[in-house]
Amino acid sequence: MRILNTIPVWLLAFTALACSSTQQVPTAGAENIKSIVAARSFVFRAQTVLPMSGRTRQVAGDGYEVMISKDTVNSYLPFFGRAYNAPIDPSRNGLDFISTDFEYTETAGKKGGWEITVKPRDNRDVQQMFFTISENGYASLQVTNNNRSPISYNGIITAESSRKRKK
């Protein structure tokens, strides 16, 4: 009789183990993250969008990312939230811009990792992009806009872009 009572418990445990996620960060480790952040050449790949109002959205695999290099910030991110002014060009939705004139500030994080602030000077819409990067490659990004509500993204840091660059 005791065996019959424990069968549902074992089935539940095996089902929970089978459904658990085992997704790994596709990076080569902490030394690789340290070197690409120090070189100012990394790509933030967004996986989750957290708008100020509304629901959280998963965007992993859709190619949404921010490419940072020493001389360029190339942003291709979605935006979900409130816009205070309508965009002049309706085909340019989201946070889709390229900046070559920007301020880049890097500081060490409290628990390891880095905090990076990027302030584009040649973009009227984006005031600031604030990256919080952990030593193992996970990162969050908070974007403050002039004409839109603030928005946050969670994702990973990699060395290479998944998007094909326009020539």
Side-chain angles (χ1 to χ4, degrees), residues 9-140:
V9 174
W10 284 104
L11 287 174
L12 183 63
F14 285 127
T15 304
L17 286 173
C19 294
S20 68
S21 174
T22 59
Q23 182 181 6
Q24 297 292 323
V25 177
T27 59
E31 290 302 318
N32 185 29
I33 299 299
K34 185 176 183 178
S35 66
I36 63 175
V37 169
R40 279 193 190 184
S41 179
F42 61 89
V43 177
F44 170 79
R45 290 188 186 164
Q47 295 178 333
T48 307
V49 181
L50 300 111
M52 288 293 286
S53 60
R55 61 183 181 89
T56 301
R57 297 166 193 228
Q58 302 297 322
V59 294
D62 291 340
Y64 294 118
E65 59 192 24
V66 177
M67 294 175 273
I68 304 284
S69 64
K70 290 185 179 185
D71 59 351
T72 307
V73 174
N74 189 348
S75 174
Y76 182 71
L77 293 172
F79 180 80
F80 304 102
R82 183 175 179 182
Y84 303 118
N85 293 330
I88 295 172
D89 184 7
S91 66
R92 294 187 59 113
N93 294 328
L95 298 172
D96 187 10
F97 69 91
I98 296 174
S99 175
T100 56
D101 183 19
F102 59 94
E103 180 183 330
Y104 182 96
T105 308
E106 177 184 332
T107 58
K110 293 179 182 177
K111 297 180 181 179
W114 304 268
E115 294 177 350
I116 297 171
T117 305
V118 176
K119 294 181 180 179
R121 295 184 188 119
D122 55 356
N123 187 305
R124 292 182 178 197
D125 201 28
V126 177
Q127 280 182 339
Q128 171 178 300
M129 302 175 88
F130 183 73
F131 295 90
T132 305
I133 303 171
S134 70
E135 293 175 329
N136 60 0
Y138 289 105
S140 66

